[in-house]
Amino acid sequence: MTAATQGALATQAPEAVLALSPAAQRLEGRVALVTGAGRGAGRAHARLLAARGAAVAIVDIDADVAQATALEIIDAGGKAIAIAADITDRGLAERLVASVAERLGGLDILVHNAGLIYSMTGLEETDDANFDRLLSINIRAPLFLTRAALPHLRKSRAPRVIFINSQWGQVPDGHSYAYMVSKAGQLGLMKTLAKEFVGEGILVNAITPGAILTRMVPDEYIEAEKAAIPLGRLVHPEEIAAAVAFLASDEAAFITGQALPVNGGALVVGI
């Protein structure tokens, strides 16, 4: 590659990134929709995105916790709205996205955070209803929401779709078929979306955390999880939120189709 070619390529990179300016981390003027944002990790994502300057739609099946998180952001000087919704309702996706875009002025960042964990069971004990429910939450709902968001993402100068996946989507533990299969399928969805829309500048990525210190991890599992993680503790919601904010920012303008592990080294030892 000649020096002239290198120079030409360099000028194509965003100047904010080239300068490594703090401005590259900022999200002013952008609108984010975060599912499952009323509590736990989703709440942390919404709070940090708002702190970086984004207007945030807090979507949660529980209206009270959605409203509480939105008010918390507003009280801190940010901009947020709360929307109570069951994202597994196929007919809701277009109405939900349209409402967010109308009330906040568009949509730039879509964070698929909502999720559940059912009992850890083997194949013969897997409950059909639970299996269908997790496929609906982890695969069908993100597909429908992303499809509904496309017209708005295409208008954005920095469109992002971010999946909160799991390390068990990459390395299954041999139990909880519903959870493991749905998370592996979600990674397939992420990569397929990334490949289809990379030519339009829509960046699609996932974060694959280990066990997060939230109410979704039962107390009886915490010590065993800590013992299995090389860094000796569970990941905090705010640490996952930092990865979300990074992927949403101009600093991540050259990243798409990737699964970012935030798991304390768990994959290194094959968990």
Side-chain angles (χ1 to χ4, degrees), residues 30-63:
R30 302 183 201 181
V31 175
L33 186 163
V34 184
T35 64
R39 54 166 62 94
R43 172 176 170 269
H45 308 332
R47 292 178 64 198
L48 185 54
L49 291 173
R52 295 281 174 90
V56 184
I58 312 296
V59 178
D60 201 286
I61 197 169
D62 187 325

PDB file of all heavy atoms in Angstrom, residues 30-63:
ATOM      1  N   ARG A  30     -28.842  12.225  20.018  1.00  0.00           N
ATOM      2  CA  ARG A  30     -29.235  10.881  19.599  1.00  0.00           C
ATOM      3  C   ARG A  30     -30.346  10.348  20.505  1.00  0.00           C
ATOM      4  O   ARG A  30     -30.476  10.738  21.659  1.00  0.00           O
ATOM      5  CB  ARG A  30     -28.034   9.939  19.610  1.00  0.00           C
ATOM      6  CG  ARG A  30     -26.923  10.442  18.699  1.00  0.00           C
ATOM      7  CD  ARG A  30     -25.738   9.519  18.608  1.00  0.00           C
ATOM      8  NE  ARG A  30     -24.563  10.258  18.165  1.00  0.00           N
ATOM      9  CZ  ARG A  30     -23.377   9.731  17.980  1.00  0.00           C
ATOM     10  NH1 ARG A  30     -23.180   8.437  18.191  1.00  0.00           N
ATOM     11  NH2 ARG A  30     -22.361  10.473  17.586  1.00  0.00           N
ATOM     12  N   VAL A  31     -31.097   9.433  19.944  1.00  0.00           N
ATOM     13  CA  VAL A  31     -32.228   8.837  20.661  1.00  0.00           C
ATOM     14  C   VAL A  31     -31.990   7.340  20.798  1.00  0.00           C
ATOM     15  O   VAL A  31     -31.662   6.664  19.816  1.00  0.00           O
ATOM     16  CB  VAL A  31     -33.554   9.093  19.908  1.00  0.00           C
ATOM     17  CG1 VAL A  31     -34.706   8.363  20.603  1.00  0.00           C
ATOM     18  CG2 VAL A  31     -33.830  10.582  19.808  1.00  0.00           C
ATOM     19  N   ALA A  32     -32.150   6.843  22.011  1.00  0.00           N
ATOM     20  CA  ALA A  32     -31.951   5.418  22.289  1.00  0.00           C
ATOM     21  C   ALA A  32     -33.242   4.794  22.797  1.00  0.00           C
ATOM     22  O   ALA A  32     -33.975   5.415  23.568  1.00  0.00           O
ATOM     23  CB  ALA A  32     -30.841   5.223  23.317  1.00  0.00           C
ATOM     24  N   LEU A  33     -33.497   3.570  22.373  1.00  0.00           N
ATOM     25  CA  LEU A  33     -34.589   2.764  22.905  1.00  0.00           C
ATOM     26  C   LEU A  33     -33.960   1.543  23.561  1.00  0.00           C
ATOM     27  O   LEU A  33     -33.228   0.790  22.911  1.00  0.00           O
ATOM     28  CB  LEU A  33     -35.541   2.352  21.779  1.00  0.00           C
ATOM     29  CG  LEU A  33     -36.848   1.622  22.134  1.00  0.00           C
ATOM     30  CD1 LEU A  33     -37.818   1.677  20.943  1.00  0.00           C
ATOM     31  CD2 LEU A  33     -36.633   0.165  22.525  1.00  0.00           C
ATOM     32  N   VAL A  34     -34.251   1.356  24.850  1.00  0.00           N
ATOM     33  CA  VAL A  34     -33.679   0.235  25.597  1.00  0.00           C
ATOM     34  C   VAL A  34     -34.819  -0.621  26.131  1.00  0.00           C
ATOM     35  O   VAL A  34     -35.671  -0.131  26.880  1.00  0.00           O
ATOM     36  CB  VAL A  34     -32.800   0.722  26.774  1.00  0.00           C
ATOM     37  CG1 VAL A  34     -32.146  -0.472  27.469  1.00  0.00           C
ATOM     38  CG2 VAL A  34     -31.741   1.708  26.286  1.00  0.00           C
ATOM     39  N   THR A  35     -34.852  -1.894  25.766  1.00  0.00           N
ATOM     40  CA  THR A  35     -35.890  -2.780  26.280  1.00  0.00           C
ATOM     41  C   THR A  35     -35.459  -3.364  27.627  1.00  0.00           C
ATOM     42  O   THR A  35     -34.271  -3.502  27.906  1.00  0.00           O
ATOM     43  CB  THR A  35     -36.190  -3.926  25.304  1.00  0.00           C
ATOM     44  OG1 THR A  35     -35.036  -4.766  25.167  1.00  0.00           O
ATOM     45  CG2 THR A  35     -36.582  -3.390  23.939  1.00  0.00           C
ATOM     46  N   GLY A  36     -36.448  -3.685  28.455  1.00  0.00           N
ATOM     47  CA  GLY A  36     -36.146  -4.210  29.787  1.00  0.00           C
ATOM     48  C   GLY A  36     -35.344  -3.230  30.608  1.00  0.00           C
ATOM     49  O   GLY A  36     -34.464  -3.615  31.380  1.00  0.00           O
ATOM     50  N   ALA A  37     -35.644  -1.936  30.462  1.00  0.00           N
ATOM     51  CA  ALA A  37     -34.800  -0.879  31.034  1.00  0.00           C
ATOM     52  C   ALA A  37     -35.276  -0.373  32.379  1.00  0.00           C
ATOM     53  O   ALA A  37     -34.696   0.573  32.919  1.00  0.00           O
ATOM     54  CB  ALA A  37     -34.702   0.288  30.052  1.00  0.00           C
ATOM     55  N   GLY A  38     -36.296  -0.994  32.947  1.00  0.00           N
ATOM     56  CA  GLY A  38     -36.825  -0.493  34.204  1.00  0.00           C
ATOM     57  C   GLY A  38     -35.974  -0.823  35.412  1.00  0.00           C
ATOM     58  O   GLY A  38     -35.974  -0.099  36.403  1.00  0.00           O
ATOM     59  N   ARG A  39     -35.222  -1.919  35.328  1.00  0.00           N
ATOM     60  CA  ARG A  39     -34.426  -2.346  36.471  1.00  0.00           C
ATOM     61  C   ARG A  39     -33.188  -3.090  35.985  1.00  0.00           C
ATOM     62  O   ARG A  39     -33.024  -3.357  34.796  1.00  0.00           O
ATOM     63  CB  ARG A  39     -35.236  -3.249  37.400  1.00  0.00           C
ATOM     64  CG  ARG A  39     -35.863  -4.455  36.716  1.00  0.00           C
ATOM     65  CD  ARG A  39     -36.355  -5.506  37.729  1.00  0.00           C
ATOM     66  NE  ARG A  39     -37.381  -4.996  38.605  1.00  0.00           N
ATOM     67  CZ  ARG A  39     -38.686  -5.121  38.394  1.00  0.00           C
ATOM     68  NH1 ARG A  39     -39.125  -5.725  37.299  1.00  0.00           N
ATOM     69  NH2 ARG A  39     -39.551  -4.652  39.261  1.00  0.00           N
ATOM     70  N   GLY A  40     -32.313  -3.428  36.915  1.00  0.00           N
ATOM     71  CA  GLY A  40     -31.158  -4.268  36.615  1.00  0.00           C
ATOM     72  C   GLY A  40     -30.212  -3.663  35.598  1.00  0.00           C
ATOM     73  O   GLY A  40     -29.969  -2.450  35.583  1.00  0.00           O
ATOM     74  N   ALA A  41     -29.695  -4.505  34.721  1.00  0.00           N
ATOM     75  CA  ALA A  41     -28.721  -4.052  33.733  1.00  0.00           C
ATOM     76  C   ALA A  41     -29.332  -3.045  32.769  1.00  0.00           C
ATOM     77  O   ALA A  41     -28.675  -2.070  32.377  1.00  0.00           O
ATOM     78  CB  ALA A  41     -28.160  -5.251  32.971  1.00  0.00           C
ATOM     79  N   GLY A  42     -30.590  -3.255  32.375  1.00  0.00           N
ATOM     80  CA  GLY A  42     -31.230  -2.320  31.462  1.00  0.00           C
ATOM     81  C   GLY A  42     -31.305  -0.915  32.023  1.00  0.00           C
ATOM     82  O   GLY A  42     -31.122   0.073  31.299  1.00  0.00           O
ATOM     83  N   ARG A  43     -31.581  -0.817  33.296  1.00  0.00           N
ATOM     84  CA  ARG A  43     -31.606   0.494  33.969  1.00  0.00           C
ATOM     85  C   ARG A  43     -30.236   1.150  33.895  1.00  0.00           C
ATOM     86  O   ARG A  43     -30.117   2.357  33.637  1.00  0.00           O
ATOM     87  CB  ARG A  43     -32.044   0.307  35.415  1.00  0.00           C
ATOM     88  CG  ARG A  43     -31.932   1.547  36.296  1.00  0.00           C
ATOM     89  CD  ARG A  43     -32.494   1.257  37.678  1.00  0.00           C
ATOM     90  NE  ARG A  43     -32.193   2.323  38.626  1.00  0.00           N
ATOM     91  CZ  ARG A  43     -31.105   2.345  39.402  1.00  0.00           C
ATOM     92  NH1 ARG A  43     -30.218   1.337  39.331  1.00  0.00           N
ATOM     93  NH2 ARG A  43     -30.888   3.339  40.236  1.00  0.00           N
ATOM     94  N   ALA A  44     -29.187   0.370  34.113  1.00  0.00           N
ATOM     95  CA  ALA A  44     -27.825   0.908  34.042  1.00  0.00           C
ATOM     96  C   ALA A  44     -27.507   1.395  32.637  1.00  0.00           C
ATOM     97  O   ALA A  44     -26.891   2.460  32.461  1.00  0.00           O
ATOM     98  CB  ALA A  44     -26.816  -0.151  34.480  1.00  0.00           C
ATOM     99  N   HIS A  45     -27.911   0.636  31.605  1.00  0.00           N
ATOM    100  CA  HIS A  45     -27.677   1.074  30.227  1.00  0.00           C
ATOM    101  C   HIS A  45     -28.362   2.414  29.973  1.00  0.00           C
ATOM    102  O   HIS A  45     -27.759   3.338  29.415  1.00  0.00           O
ATOM    103  CB  HIS A  45     -28.231   0.067  29.217  1.00  0.00           C
ATOM    104  CG  HIS A  45     -27.787  -1.338  29.434  1.00  0.00           C
ATOM    105  ND1 HIS A  45     -26.589  -1.667  30.040  1.00  0.00           N
ATOM    106  CD2 HIS A  45     -28.385  -2.520  29.116  1.00  0.00           C
ATOM    107  CE1 HIS A  45     -26.473  -2.986  30.085  1.00  0.00           C
ATOM    108  NE2 HIS A  45     -27.544  -3.511  29.529  1.00  0.00           N
ATOM    109  N   ALA A  46     -29.640   2.500  30.361  1.00  0.00           N
ATOM    110  CA  ALA A  46     -30.411   3.713  30.108  1.00  0.00           C
ATOM    111  C   ALA A  46     -29.803   4.912  30.824  1.00  0.00           C
ATOM    112  O   ALA A  46     -29.688   6.007  30.256  1.00  0.00           O
ATOM    113  CB  ALA A  46     -31.862   3.505  30.546  1.00  0.00           C
ATOM    114  N   ARG A  47     -29.394   4.720  32.058  1.00  0.00           N
ATOM    115  CA  ARG A  47     -28.828   5.830  32.831  1.00  0.00           C
ATOM    116  C   ARG A  47     -27.528   6.336  32.214  1.00  0.00           C
ATOM    117  O   ARG A  47     -27.306   7.546  32.133  1.00  0.00           O
ATOM    118  CB  ARG A  47     -28.582   5.394  34.280  1.00  0.00           C
ATOM    119  CG  ARG A  47     -29.862   5.133  35.075  1.00  0.00           C
ATOM    120  CD  ARG A  47     -29.532   4.655  36.472  1.00  0.00           C
ATOM    121  NE  ARG A  47     -28.823   5.676  37.228  1.00  0.00           N
ATOM    122  CZ  ARG A  47     -28.108   5.436  38.328  1.00  0.00           C
ATOM    123  NH1 ARG A  47     -27.989   4.204  38.773  1.00  0.00           N
ATOM    124  NH2 ARG A  47     -27.513   6.423  38.961  1.00  0.00           N
ATOM    125  N   LEU A  48     -26.664   5.429  31.774  1.00  0.00           N
ATOM    126  CA  LEU A  48     -25.387   5.877  31.218  1.00  0.00           C
ATOM    127  C   LEU A  48     -25.568   6.513  29.846  1.00  0.00           C
ATOM    128  O   LEU A  48     -24.933   7.531  29.538  1.00  0.00           O
ATOM    129  CB  LEU A  48     -24.403   4.716  31.135  1.00  0.00           C
ATOM    130  CG  LEU A  48     -22.987   5.102  30.674  1.00  0.00           C
ATOM    131  CD1 LEU A  48     -22.403   6.221  31.535  1.00  0.00           C
ATOM    132  CD2 LEU A  48     -22.065   3.894  30.694  1.00  0.00           C
ATOM    133  N   LEU A  49     -26.433   5.945  29.009  1.00  0.00           N
ATOM    134  CA  LEU A  49     -26.703   6.564  27.714  1.00  0.00           C
ATOM    135  C   LEU A  49     -27.243   7.977  27.901  1.00  0.00           C
ATOM    136  O   LEU A  49     -26.852   8.904  27.170  1.00  0.00           O
ATOM    137  CB  LEU A  49     -27.688   5.721  26.915  1.00  0.00           C
ATOM    138  CG  LEU A  49     -27.167   4.365  26.424  1.00  0.00           C
ATOM    139  CD1 LEU A  49     -28.305   3.555  25.801  1.00  0.00           C
ATOM    140  CD2 LEU A  49     -26.032   4.526  25.425  1.00  0.00           C
ATOM    141  N   ALA A  50     -28.126   8.155  28.880  1.00  0.00           N
ATOM    142  CA  ALA A  50     -28.669   9.490  29.166  1.00  0.00           C
ATOM    143  C   ALA A  50     -27.584  10.419  29.699  1.00  0.00           C
ATOM    144  O   ALA A  50     -27.521  11.596  29.325  1.00  0.00           O
ATOM    145  CB  ALA A  50     -29.815   9.382  30.159  1.00  0.00           C
ATOM    146  N   ALA A  51     -26.712   9.893  30.548  1.00  0.00           N
ATOM    147  CA  ALA A  51     -25.632  10.712  31.093  1.00  0.00           C
ATOM    148  C   ALA A  51     -24.667  11.164  29.992  1.00  0.00           C
ATOM    149  O   ALA A  51     -24.042  12.222  30.102  1.00  0.00           O
ATOM    150  CB  ALA A  51     -24.865   9.928  32.157  1.00  0.00           C
ATOM    151  N   ARG A  52     -24.551  10.356  28.933  1.00  0.00           N
ATOM    152  CA  ARG A  52     -23.691  10.731  27.799  1.00  0.00           C
ATOM    153  C   ARG A  52     -24.409  11.677  26.828  1.00  0.00           C
ATOM    154  O   ARG A  52     -23.826  12.083  25.833  1.00  0.00           O
ATOM    155  CB  ARG A  52     -23.239   9.477  27.052  1.00  0.00           C
ATOM    156  CG  ARG A  52     -22.349   8.541  27.865  1.00  0.00           C
ATOM    157  CD  ARG A  52     -20.908   9.014  27.938  1.00  0.00           C
ATOM    158  NE  ARG A  52     -20.105   8.198  28.823  1.00  0.00           N
ATOM    159  CZ  ARG A  52     -19.422   7.118  28.438  1.00  0.00           C
ATOM    160  NH1 ARG A  52     -19.467   6.719  27.185  1.00  0.00           N
ATOM    161  NH2 ARG A  52     -18.699   6.440  29.309  1.00  0.00           N
ATOM    162  N   GLY A  53     -25.681  11.977  27.103  1.00  0.00           N
ATOM    163  CA  GLY A  53     -26.375  12.973  26.304  1.00  0.00           C
ATOM    164  C   GLY A  53     -27.525  12.485  25.465  1.00  0.00           C
ATOM    165  O   GLY A  53     -28.220  13.287  24.828  1.00  0.00           O
ATOM    166  N   ALA A  54     -27.767  11.173  25.405  1.00  0.00           N
ATOM    167  CA  ALA A  54     -28.865  10.654  24.582  1.00  0.00           C
ATOM    168  C   ALA A  54     -30.208  10.844  25.280  1.00  0.00           C
ATOM    169  O   ALA A  54     -30.295  10.832  26.513  1.00  0.00           O
ATOM    170  CB  ALA A  54     -28.649   9.174  24.289  1.00  0.00           C
ATOM    171  N   ALA A  55     -31.247  11.028  24.471  1.00  0.00           N
ATOM    172  CA  ALA A  55     -32.614  10.930  24.978  1.00  0.00           C
ATOM    173  C   ALA A  55     -32.987   9.453  24.943  1.00  0.00           C
ATOM    174  O   ALA A  55     -32.749   8.780  23.936  1.00  0.00           O
ATOM    175  CB  ALA A  55     -33.565  11.742  24.123  1.00  0.00           C
ATOM    176  N   VAL A  56     -33.564   8.946  26.036  1.00  0.00           N
ATOM    177  CA  VAL A  56     -33.738   7.503  26.174  1.00  0.00           C
ATOM    178  C   VAL A  56     -35.200   7.127  26.399  1.00  0.00           C
ATOM    179  O   VAL A  56     -35.876   7.708  27.257  1.00  0.00           O
ATOM    180  CB  VAL A  56     -32.893   6.952  27.339  1.00  0.00           C
ATOM    181  CG1 VAL A  56     -33.013   5.436  27.410  1.00  0.00           C
ATOM    182  CG2 VAL A  56     -31.426   7.350  27.176  1.00  0.00           C
ATOM    183  N   ALA A  57     -35.667   6.148  25.626  1.00  0.00           N
ATOM    184  CA  ALA A  57     -36.984   5.551  25.850  1.00  0.00           C
ATOM    185  C   ALA A  57     -36.806   4.318  26.714  1.00  0.00           C
ATOM    186  O   ALA A  57     -36.127   3.371  26.322  1.00  0.00           O
ATOM    187  CB  ALA A  57     -37.638   5.185  24.527  1.00  0.00           C
ATOM    188  N   ILE A  58     -37.404   4.356  27.901  1.00  0.00           N
ATOM    189  CA  ILE A  58     -37.332   3.250  28.850  1.00  0.00           C
ATOM    190  C   ILE A  58     -38.510   2.327  28.579  1.00  0.00           C
ATOM    191  O   ILE A  58     -39.663   2.658  28.890  1.00  0.00           O
ATOM    192  CB  ILE A  58     -37.415   3.763  30.310  1.00  0.00           C
ATOM    193  CG1 ILE A  58     -36.450   4.926  30.539  1.00  0.00           C
ATOM    194  CG2 ILE A  58     -37.188   2.627  31.291  1.00  0.00           C
ATOM    195  CD1 ILE A  58     -35.004   4.597  30.390  1.00  0.00           C
ATOM    196  N   VAL A  59     -38.260   1.177  27.984  1.00  0.00           N
ATOM    197  CA  VAL A  59     -39.336   0.243  27.658  1.00  0.00           C
ATOM    198  C   VAL A  59     -39.243  -0.946  28.612  1.00  0.00           C
ATOM    199  O   VAL A  59     -38.190  -1.575  28.735  1.00  0.00           O
ATOM    200  CB  VAL A  59     -39.221  -0.242  26.196  1.00  0.00           C
ATOM    201  CG1 VAL A  59     -40.311  -1.255  25.883  1.00  0.00           C
ATOM    202  CG2 VAL A  59     -39.301   0.945  25.244  1.00  0.00           C
ATOM    203  N   ASP A  60     -40.349  -1.246  29.274  1.00  0.00           N
ATOM    204  CA  ASP A  60     -40.372  -2.353  30.231  1.00  0.00           C
ATOM    205  C   ASP A  60     -41.799  -2.859  30.363  1.00  0.00           C
ATOM    206  O   ASP A  60     -42.757  -2.080  30.209  1.00  0.00           O
ATOM    207  CB  ASP A  60     -39.850  -1.886  31.596  1.00  0.00           C
ATOM    208  CG  ASP A  60     -39.361  -3.035  32.464  1.00  0.00           C
ATOM    209  OD1 ASP A  60     -40.209  -3.788  32.990  1.00  0.00           O
ATOM    210  OD2 ASP A  60     -38.138  -3.193  32.600  1.00  0.00           O
ATOM    211  N   ILE A  61     -41.940  -4.136  30.645  1.00  0.00           N
ATOM    212  CA  ILE A  61     -43.269  -4.704  30.826  1.00  0.00           C
ATOM    213  C   ILE A  61     -43.929  -4.180  32.098  1.00  0.00           C
ATOM    214  O   ILE A  61     -45.149  -4.167  32.227  1.00  0.00           O
ATOM    215  CB  ILE A  61     -43.196  -6.250  30.828  1.00  0.00           C
ATOM    216  CG1 ILE A  61     -44.591  -6.840  30.600  1.00  0.00           C
ATOM    217  CG2 ILE A  61     -42.553  -6.777  32.111  1.00  0.00           C
ATOM    218  CD1 ILE A  61     -44.577  -8.324  30.313  1.00  0.00           C
ATOM    219  N   ASP A  62     -43.109  -3.725  33.052  1.00  0.00           N
ATOM    220  CA  ASP A  62     -43.580  -3.193  34.329  1.00  0.00           C
ATOM    221  C   ASP A  62     -43.620  -1.669  34.235  1.00  0.00           C
ATOM    222  O   ASP A  62     -42.577  -1.004  34.209  1.00  0.00           O
ATOM    223  CB  ASP A  62     -42.641  -3.643  35.450  1.00  0.00           C
ATOM    224  CG  ASP A  62     -43.151  -3.272  36.831  1.00  0.00           C
ATOM    225  OD1 ASP A  62     -43.762  -2.204  36.983  1.00  0.00           O
ATOM    226  OD2 ASP A  62     -42.907  -4.043  37.785  1.00  0.00           O
ATOM    227  N   ALA A  63     -44.813  -1.095  34.192  1.00  0.00           N
ATOM    228  CA  ALA A  63     -44.968   0.352  34.022  1.00  0.00           C
ATOM    229  C   ALA A  63     -44.348   1.137  35.162  1.00  0.00           C
ATOM    230  O   ALA A  63     -43.765   2.209  34.959  1.00  0.00           O
ATOM    231  CB  ALA A  63     -46.448   0.705  33.893  1.00  0.00           C
TER     232      ALA A  63
END
